[in-house]
PDB file of all heavy atoms in Angstrom:
ATOM      1  N   GLN A   1      -6.365   7.668 -13.346  1.00 93.00           N
ATOM      2  CA  GLN A   1      -5.274   7.830 -12.374  1.00 93.00           C
ATOM      3  C   GLN A   1      -5.402   6.798 -11.262  1.00 93.00           C
ATOM      4  O   GLN A   1      -6.463   6.635 -10.682  1.00 93.00           O
ATOM      5  CB  GLN A   1      -5.300   9.218 -11.758  1.00 93.00           C
ATOM      6  CG  GLN A   1      -4.198   9.467 -10.754  1.00 93.00           C
ATOM      7  CD  GLN A   1      -2.805   9.484 -11.390  1.00 93.00           C
ATOM      8  OE1 GLN A   1      -2.459  10.417 -12.069  1.00 93.00           O
ATOM      9  NE2 GLN A   1      -2.034   8.440 -11.167  1.00 93.00           N
ATOM     10  N   HIS A   2      -4.321   6.109 -10.958  1.00 94.00           N
ATOM     11  CA  HIS A   2      -4.293   5.139  -9.858  1.00 94.00           C
ATOM     12  C   HIS A   2      -3.143   5.517  -8.932  1.00 94.00           C
ATOM     13  O   HIS A   2      -2.113   6.006  -9.367  1.00 94.00           O
ATOM     14  CB  HIS A   2      -4.126   3.711 -10.400  1.00 94.00           C
ATOM     15  CG  HIS A   2      -5.299   3.270 -11.225  1.00 94.00           C
ATOM     16  ND1 HIS A   2      -6.474   2.794 -10.667  1.00 94.00           N
ATOM     17  CD2 HIS A   2      -5.477   3.264 -12.554  1.00 94.00           C
ATOM     18  CE1 HIS A   2      -7.325   2.496 -11.618  1.00 94.00           C
ATOM     19  NE2 HIS A   2      -6.753   2.770 -12.782  1.00 94.00           N
ATOM     20  N   VAL A   3      -3.357   5.257  -7.647  1.00 95.00           N
ATOM     21  CA  VAL A   3      -2.379   5.665  -6.633  1.00 95.00           C
ATOM     22  C   VAL A   3      -2.196   4.535  -5.631  1.00 95.00           C
ATOM     23  O   VAL A   3      -3.008   3.605  -5.549  1.00 95.00           O
ATOM     24  CB  VAL A   3      -2.846   6.955  -5.898  1.00 95.00           C
ATOM     25  CG1 VAL A   3      -3.064   8.093  -6.873  1.00 95.00           C
ATOM     26  CG2 VAL A   3      -4.098   6.690  -5.062  1.00 95.00           C
ATOM     27  N   VAL A   4      -1.113   4.661  -4.862  1.00 96.00           N
ATOM     28  CA  VAL A   4      -0.866   3.808  -3.700  1.00 96.00           C
ATOM     29  C   VAL A   4      -0.829   4.727  -2.492  1.00 96.00           C
ATOM     30  O   VAL A   4      -0.041   5.676  -2.464  1.00 96.00           O
ATOM     31  CB  VAL A   4       0.430   3.005  -3.840  1.00 96.00           C
ATOM     32  CG1 VAL A   4       0.706   2.233  -2.552  1.00 96.00           C
ATOM     33  CG2 VAL A   4       0.340   2.056  -5.024  1.00 96.00           C
ATOM     34  N   ALA A   5      -1.690   4.453  -1.515  1.00 95.00           N
ATOM     35  CA  ALA A   5      -1.753   5.263  -0.310  1.00 95.00           C
ATOM     36  C   ALA A   5      -1.104   4.484   0.825  1.00 95.00           C
ATOM     37  O   ALA A   5      -1.438   3.304   1.040  1.00 95.00           O
ATOM     38  CB  ALA A   5      -3.189   5.601   0.035  1.00 95.00           C
ATOM     39  N   TYR A   6      -0.213   5.125   1.570  1.00 95.00           N
ATOM     40  CA  TYR A   6       0.496   4.428   2.645  1.00 95.00           C
ATOM     41  C   TYR A   6       0.801   5.383   3.781  1.00 95.00           C
ATOM     42  O   TYR A   6       0.738   6.616   3.641  1.00 95.00           O
ATOM     43  CB  TYR A   6       1.781   3.777   2.112  1.00 95.00           C
ATOM     44  CG  TYR A   6       2.828   4.761   1.601  1.00 95.00           C
ATOM     45  CD1 TYR A   6       3.891   5.165   2.399  1.00 95.00           C
ATOM     46  CD2 TYR A   6       2.765   5.271   0.298  1.00 95.00           C
ATOM     47  CE1 TYR A   6       4.851   6.054   1.938  1.00 95.00           C
ATOM     48  CE2 TYR A   6       3.720   6.150  -0.165  1.00 95.00           C
ATOM     49  CZ  TYR A   6       4.769   6.542   0.655  1.00 95.00           C
ATOM     50  OH  TYR A   6       5.701   7.416   0.183  1.00 95.00           O
ATOM     51  N   ARG A   7       1.170   4.815   4.890  1.00 93.00           N
ATOM     52  CA  ARG A   7       1.470   5.609   6.085  1.00 93.00           C
ATOM     53  C   ARG A   7       2.693   5.040   6.774  1.00 93.00           C
ATOM     54  O   ARG A   7       3.006   3.834   6.643  1.00 93.00           O
ATOM     55  CB  ARG A   7       0.263   5.585   7.040  1.00 93.00           C
ATOM     56  CG  ARG A   7       0.310   6.711   8.093  1.00 93.00           C
ATOM     57  CD  ARG A   7      -1.062   6.859   8.759  1.00 93.00           C
ATOM     58  NE  ARG A   7      -1.082   8.026   9.607  1.00 93.00           N
ATOM     59  CZ  ARG A   7      -0.725   8.018  10.897  1.00 93.00           C
ATOM     60  NH1 ARG A   7      -0.338   6.901  11.475  1.00 93.00           N
ATOM     61  NH2 ARG A   7      -0.762   9.131  11.608  1.00 93.00           N
ATOM     62  N   ASP A   8       3.421   5.863   7.497  1.00 88.00           N
ATOM     63  CA  ASP A   8       4.653   5.421   8.194  1.00 88.00           C
ATOM     64  C   ASP A   8       4.369   4.156   8.987  1.00 88.00           C
ATOM     65  O   ASP A   8       3.397   4.061   9.741  1.00 88.00           O
ATOM     66  CB  ASP A   8       5.120   6.489   9.193  1.00 88.00           C
ATOM     67  CG  ASP A   8       5.475   7.795   8.505  1.00 88.00           C
ATOM     68  OD1 ASP A   8       5.024   7.991   7.372  1.00 88.00           O
ATOM     69  OD2 ASP A   8       6.186   8.595   9.119  1.00 88.00           O
ATOM     70  N   SER A   9       5.288   3.185   8.816  1.00 83.00           N
ATOM     71  CA  SER A   9       5.365   1.983   9.653  1.00 83.00           C
ATOM     72  C   SER A   9       4.221   0.978   9.444  1.00 83.00           C
ATOM     73  O   SER A   9       4.204  -0.056  10.102  1.00 83.00           O
ATOM     74  CB  SER A   9       5.437   2.357  11.150  1.00 83.00           C
ATOM     75  OG  SER A   9       6.527   3.228  11.383  1.00 83.00           O
ATOM     76  N   LEU A  10       3.264   1.258   8.566  1.00 90.00           N
ATOM     77  CA  LEU A  10       2.239   0.254   8.293  1.00 90.00           C
ATOM     78  C   LEU A  10       2.844  -0.854   7.432  1.00 90.00           C
ATOM     79  O   LEU A  10       3.533  -0.547   6.453  1.00 90.00           O
ATOM     80  CB  LEU A  10       1.051   0.858   7.551  1.00 90.00           C
ATOM     81  CG  LEU A  10      -0.018   1.584   8.374  1.00 90.00           C
ATOM     82  CD1 LEU A  10      -1.130   2.077   7.418  1.00 90.00           C
ATOM     83  CD2 LEU A  10      -0.616   0.686   9.434  1.00 90.00           C
ATOM     84  N   PRO A  11       2.556  -2.122   7.704  1.00 93.00           N
ATOM     85  CA  PRO A  11       3.109  -3.212   6.873  1.00 93.00           C
ATOM     86  C   PRO A  11       2.325  -3.414   5.591  1.00 93.00           C
ATOM     87  O   PRO A  11       2.609  -4.338   4.818  1.00 93.00           O
ATOM     88  CB  PRO A  11       2.984  -4.410   7.796  1.00 93.00           C
ATOM     89  CG  PRO A  11       1.810  -4.119   8.650  1.00 93.00           C
ATOM     90  CD  PRO A  11       1.829  -2.633   8.880  1.00 93.00           C
ATOM     91  N   TYR A  12       1.332  -2.607   5.353  1.00 95.00           N
ATOM     92  CA  TYR A  12       0.531  -2.709   4.134  1.00 95.00           C
ATOM     93  C   TYR A  12       0.200  -1.299   3.641  1.00 95.00           C
ATOM     94  O   TYR A  12       0.370  -0.298   4.340  1.00 95.00           O
ATOM     95  CB  TYR A  12      -0.758  -3.500   4.368  1.00 95.00           C
ATOM     96  CG  TYR A  12      -1.646  -2.904   5.442  1.00 95.00           C
ATOM     97  CD1 TYR A  12      -2.581  -1.920   5.140  1.00 95.00           C
ATOM     98  CD2 TYR A  12      -1.558  -3.339   6.761  1.00 95.00           C
ATOM     99  CE1 TYR A  12      -3.397  -1.369   6.122  1.00 95.00           C
ATOM    100  CE2 TYR A  12      -2.346  -2.775   7.748  1.00 95.00           C
ATOM    101  CZ  TYR A  12      -3.278  -1.805   7.431  1.00 95.00           C
ATOM    102  OH  TYR A  12      -4.072  -1.257   8.379  1.00 95.00           O
ATOM    103  N   ALA A  13      -0.290  -1.242   2.385  1.00 95.00           N
ATOM    104  CA  ALA A  13      -0.746   0.011   1.795  1.00 95.00           C
ATOM    105  C   ALA A  13      -2.023  -0.304   1.040  1.00 95.00           C
ATOM    106  O   ALA A  13      -2.497  -1.442   1.005  1.00 95.00           O
ATOM    107  CB  ALA A  13       0.329   0.581   0.879  1.00 95.00           C
ATOM    108  N   TRP A  14      -2.573   0.743   0.392  1.00 92.00           N
ATOM    109  CA  TRP A  14      -3.806   0.566  -0.366  1.00 92.00           C
ATOM    110  C   TRP A  14      -3.599   1.029  -1.807  1.00 92.00           C
ATOM    111  O   TRP A  14      -3.195   2.146  -2.049  1.00 92.00           O
ATOM    112  CB  TRP A  14      -4.944   1.347   0.258  1.00 92.00           C
ATOM    113  CG  TRP A  14      -5.381   0.789   1.581  1.00 92.00           C
ATOM    114  CD1 TRP A  14      -4.953   1.184   2.822  1.00 92.00           C
ATOM    115  CD2 TRP A  14      -6.315  -0.259   1.793  1.00 92.00           C
ATOM    116  NE1 TRP A  14      -5.563   0.432   3.809  1.00 92.00           N
ATOM    117  CE2 TRP A  14      -6.413  -0.460   3.189  1.00 92.00           C
ATOM    118  CE3 TRP A  14      -7.102  -1.046   0.954  1.00 92.00           C
ATOM    119  CZ2 TRP A  14      -7.250  -1.417   3.756  1.00 92.00           C
ATOM    120  CZ3 TRP A  14      -7.948  -1.996   1.513  1.00 92.00           C
ATOM    121  CH2 TRP A  14      -8.003  -2.178   2.895  1.00 92.00           C
ATOM    122  N   PHE A  15      -3.863   0.103  -2.754  1.00 94.00           N
ATOM    123  CA  PHE A  15      -3.887   0.458  -4.152  1.00 94.00           C
ATOM    124  C   PHE A  15      -5.274   0.933  -4.505  1.00 94.00           C
ATOM    125  O   PHE A  15      -6.272   0.258  -4.245  1.00 94.00           O
ATOM    126  CB  PHE A  15      -3.506  -0.763  -5.019  1.00 94.00           C
ATOM    127  CG  PHE A  15      -3.696  -0.551  -6.479  1.00 94.00           C
ATOM    128  CD1 PHE A  15      -2.999   0.422  -7.145  1.00 94.00           C
ATOM    129  CD2 PHE A  15      -4.610  -1.319  -7.195  1.00 94.00           C
ATOM    130  CE1 PHE A  15      -3.173   0.627  -8.514  1.00 94.00           C
ATOM    131  CE2 PHE A  15      -4.792  -1.134  -8.556  1.00 94.00           C
ATOM    132  CZ  PHE A  15      -4.073  -0.142  -9.201  1.00 94.00           C
ATOM    133  N   CYS A  16      -5.382   2.137  -5.061  1.00 91.00           N
ATOM    134  CA  CYS A  16      -6.670   2.744  -5.383  1.00 91.00           C
ATOM    135  C   CYS A  16      -6.642   3.152  -6.864  1.00 91.00           C
ATOM    136  O   CYS A  16      -5.567   3.385  -7.417  1.00 91.00           O
ATOM    137  CB  CYS A  16      -6.921   3.973  -4.499  1.00 91.00           C
ATOM    138  SG  CYS A  16      -6.819   3.629  -2.738  1.00 91.00           S
ATOM    139  N   SER A  17      -7.813   3.170  -7.576  1.00 80.00           N
ATOM    140  CA  SER A  17      -9.032   3.735  -7.117  1.00 80.00           C
ATOM    141  C   SER A  17     -10.019   2.754  -6.478  1.00 80.00           C
ATOM    142  O   SER A  17     -10.746   3.134  -5.566  1.00 80.00           O
ATOM    143  CB  SER A  17      -9.717   4.449  -8.289  1.00 80.00           C
ATOM    144  OG  SER A  17      -9.862   3.551  -9.380  1.00 80.00           O
ATOM    145  N   ARG A  18     -10.104   1.539  -6.930  1.00 85.00           N
ATOM    146  CA  ARG A  18     -10.885   0.551  -6.203  1.00 85.00           C
ATOM    147  C   ARG A  18      -9.961  -0.054  -5.155  1.00 85.00           C
ATOM    148  O   ARG A  18      -9.057  -0.848  -5.476  1.00 85.00           O
ATOM    149  CB  ARG A  18     -11.395  -0.542  -7.143  1.00 85.00           C
ATOM    150  CG  ARG A  18     -12.404  -0.050  -8.169  1.00 85.00           C
ATOM    151  CD  ARG A  18     -12.933  -1.184  -9.014  1.00 85.00           C
ATOM    152  NE  ARG A  18     -13.900  -0.709  -9.988  1.00 85.00           N
ATOM    153  CZ  ARG A  18     -14.502  -1.509 -10.872  1.00 85.00           C
ATOM    154  NH1 ARG A  18     -14.201  -2.814 -10.912  1.00 85.00           N
ATOM    155  NH2 ARG A  18     -15.372  -0.988 -11.710  1.00 85.00           N
ATOM    156  N   PRO A  19     -10.133   0.300  -3.900  1.00 91.00           N
ATOM    157  CA  PRO A  19      -9.137  -0.030  -2.876  1.00 91.00           C
ATOM    158  C   PRO A  19      -8.854  -1.522  -2.747  1.00 91.00           C
ATOM    159  O   PRO A  19      -9.766  -2.349  -2.711  1.00 91.00           O
ATOM    160  CB  PRO A  19      -9.750   0.534  -1.605  1.00 91.00           C
ATOM    161  CG  PRO A  19     -10.671   1.625  -2.067  1.00 91.00           C
ATOM    162  CD  PRO A  19     -11.230   1.124  -3.364  1.00 91.00           C
ATOM    163  N   ARG A  20      -7.571  -1.835  -2.710  1.00 93.00           N
ATOM    164  CA  ARG A  20      -7.106  -3.202  -2.510  1.00 93.00           C
ATOM    165  C   ARG A  20      -5.811  -3.147  -1.705  1.00 93.00           C
ATOM    166  O   ARG A  20      -4.925  -2.383  -2.042  1.00 93.00           O
ATOM    167  CB  ARG A  20      -6.903  -3.913  -3.848  1.00 93.00           C
ATOM    168  CG  ARG A  20      -6.324  -5.314  -3.736  1.00 93.00           C
ATOM    169  CD  ARG A  20      -6.434  -6.048  -5.066  1.00 93.00           C
ATOM    170  NE  ARG A  20      -5.841  -5.317  -6.148  1.00 93.00           N
ATOM    171  CZ  ARG A  20      -4.546  -5.316  -6.480  1.00 93.00           C
ATOM    172  NH1 ARG A  20      -3.693  -6.002  -5.707  1.00 93.00           N
ATOM    173  NH2 ARG A  20      -4.089  -4.630  -7.507  1.00 93.00           N
ATOM    174  N   LYS A  21      -5.727  -3.969  -0.673  1.00 95.00           N
ATOM    175  CA  LYS A  21      -4.571  -3.945   0.199  1.00 95.00           C
ATOM    176  C   LYS A  21      -3.401  -4.635  -0.486  1.00 95.00           C
ATOM    177  O   LYS A  21      -3.535  -5.700  -1.085  1.00 95.00           O
ATOM    178  CB  LYS A  21      -4.899  -4.641   1.537  1.00 95.00           C
ATOM    179  CG  LYS A  21      -3.855  -4.475   2.612  1.00 95.00           C
ATOM    180  CD  LYS A  21      -4.249  -5.199   3.901  1.00 95.00           C
ATOM    181  CE  LYS A  21      -5.377  -4.522   4.623  1.00 95.00           C
ATOM    182  NZ  LYS A  21      -5.624  -5.122   5.954  1.00 95.00           N
ATOM    183  N   ILE A  22      -2.196  -4.024  -0.373  1.00 95.00           N
ATOM    184  CA  ILE A  22      -0.966  -4.606  -0.885  1.00 95.00           C
ATOM    185  C   ILE A  22       0.092  -4.513   0.196  1.00 95.00           C
ATOM    186  O   ILE A  22      -0.033  -3.730   1.144  1.00 95.00           O
ATOM    187  CB  ILE A  22      -0.484  -3.919  -2.181  1.00 95.00           C
ATOM    188  CG1 ILE A  22      -0.182  -2.437  -1.905  1.00 95.00           C
ATOM    189  CG2 ILE A  22      -1.496  -4.097  -3.307  1.00 95.00           C
ATOM    190  CD1 ILE A  22       0.458  -1.737  -3.092  1.00 95.00           C
ATOM    191  N   ARG A  23       1.170  -5.298   0.046  1.00 96.00           N
ATOM    192  CA  ARG A  23       2.236  -5.253   1.047  1.00 96.00           C
ATOM    193  C   ARG A  23       3.113  -4.023   0.869  1.00 96.00           C
ATOM    194  O   ARG A  23       3.376  -3.595  -0.243  1.00 96.00           O
ATOM    195  CB  ARG A  23       3.090  -6.521   0.958  1.00 96.00           C
ATOM    196  CG  ARG A  23       2.457  -7.752   1.490  1.00 96.00           C
ATOM    197  CD  ARG A  23       3.327  -8.982   1.321  1.00 96.00           C
ATOM    198  NE  ARG A  23       3.455  -9.331  -0.095  1.00 96.00           N
ATOM    199  CZ  ARG A  23       4.195 -10.350  -0.539  1.00 96.00           C
ATOM    200  NH1 ARG A  23       4.882 -11.093   0.329  1.00 96.00           N
ATOM    201  NH2 ARG A  23       4.251 -10.608  -1.839  1.00 96.00           N
ATOM    202  N   ALA A  24       3.526  -3.489   1.988  1.00 96.00           N
ATOM    203  CA  ALA A  24       4.495  -2.393   2.015  1.00 96.00           C
ATOM    204  C   ALA A  24       5.788  -2.962   2.580  1.00 96.00           C
ATOM    205  O   ALA A  24       5.852  -3.323   3.762  1.00 96.00           O
ATOM    206  CB  ALA A  24       4.002  -1.235   2.851  1.00 96.00           C
ATOM    207  N   PHE A  25       6.828  -3.067   1.749  1.00 96.00           N
ATOM    208  CA  PHE A  25       8.083  -3.682   2.170  1.00 96.00           C
ATOM    209  C   PHE A  25       9.038  -2.625   2.710  1.00 96.00           C
ATOM    210  O   PHE A  25       9.191  -1.557   2.123  1.00 96.00           O
ATOM    211  CB  PHE A  25       8.764  -4.365   0.987  1.00 96.00           C
ATOM    212  CG  PHE A  25       7.997  -5.512   0.399  1.00 96.00           C
ATOM    213  CD1 PHE A  25       7.160  -5.309  -0.680  1.00 96.00           C
ATOM    214  CD2 PHE A  25       8.116  -6.787   0.932  1.00 96.00           C
ATOM    215  CE1 PHE A  25       6.448  -6.366  -1.242  1.00 96.00           C
ATOM    216  CE2 PHE A  25       7.402  -7.852   0.390  1.00 96.00           C
ATOM    217  CZ  PHE A  25       6.556  -7.627  -0.701  1.00 96.00           C
ATOM    218  N   SER A  26       9.673  -2.953   3.821  1.00 94.00           N
ATOM    219  CA  SER A  26      10.816  -2.152   4.233  1.00 94.00           C
ATOM    220  C   SER A  26      12.031  -2.684   3.493  1.00 94.00           C
ATOM    221  O   SER A  26      12.017  -3.777   2.910  1.00 94.00           O
ATOM    222  CB  SER A  26      11.064  -2.284   5.748  1.00 94.00           C
ATOM    223  OG  SER A  26      11.504  -3.608   6.058  1.00 94.00           O
ATOM    224  N   PHE A  27      13.147  -1.909   3.519  1.00 92.00           N
ATOM    225  CA  PHE A  27      14.337  -2.399   2.820  1.00 92.00           C
ATOM    226  C   PHE A  27      14.829  -3.707   3.473  1.00 92.00           C
ATOM    227  O   PHE A  27      15.299  -4.589   2.767  1.00 92.00           O
ATOM    228  CB  PHE A  27      15.443  -1.354   2.817  1.00 92.00           C
ATOM    229  CG  PHE A  27      16.585  -1.778   1.954  1.00 92.00           C
ATOM    230  CD1 PHE A  27      16.515  -1.672   0.588  1.00 92.00           C
ATOM    231  CD2 PHE A  27      17.717  -2.339   2.525  1.00 92.00           C
ATOM    232  CE1 PHE A  27      17.560  -2.109  -0.212  1.00 92.00           C
ATOM    233  CE2 PHE A  27      18.772  -2.760   1.727  1.00 92.00           C
ATOM    234  CZ  PHE A  27      18.683  -2.635   0.362  1.00 92.00           C
ATOM    235  N   GLY A  28      14.695  -3.807   4.768  1.00 90.00           N
ATOM    236  CA  GLY A  28      15.118  -5.043   5.442  1.00 90.00           C
ATOM    237  C   GLY A  28      14.354  -6.266   4.949  1.00 90.00           C
ATOM    238  O   GLY A  28      14.899  -7.370   4.953  1.00 90.00           O
ATOM    239  N   ASP A  29      13.106  -6.063   4.507  1.00 92.00           N
ATOM    240  CA  ASP A  29      12.306  -7.183   4.007  1.00 92.00           C
ATOM    241  C   ASP A  29      12.875  -7.801   2.726  1.00 92.00           C
ATOM    242  O   ASP A  29      12.634  -8.983   2.468  1.00 92.00           O
ATOM    243  CB  ASP A  29      10.862  -6.734   3.728  1.00 92.00           C
ATOM    244  CG  ASP A  29      10.111  -6.329   4.981  1.00 92.00           C
ATOM    245  OD1 ASP A  29      10.416  -6.874   6.057  1.00 92.00           O
ATOM    246  OD2 ASP A  29       9.183  -5.487   4.869  1.00 92.00           O
TER     247      ASP A  29
END
């Protein structure tokens, strides 16, 4: 199982299980 963890208004998120930062796009982006 792999997940993406994110939080309101952060410009990035974390792809897990081995954590790696990825971009979190807003619709405006």
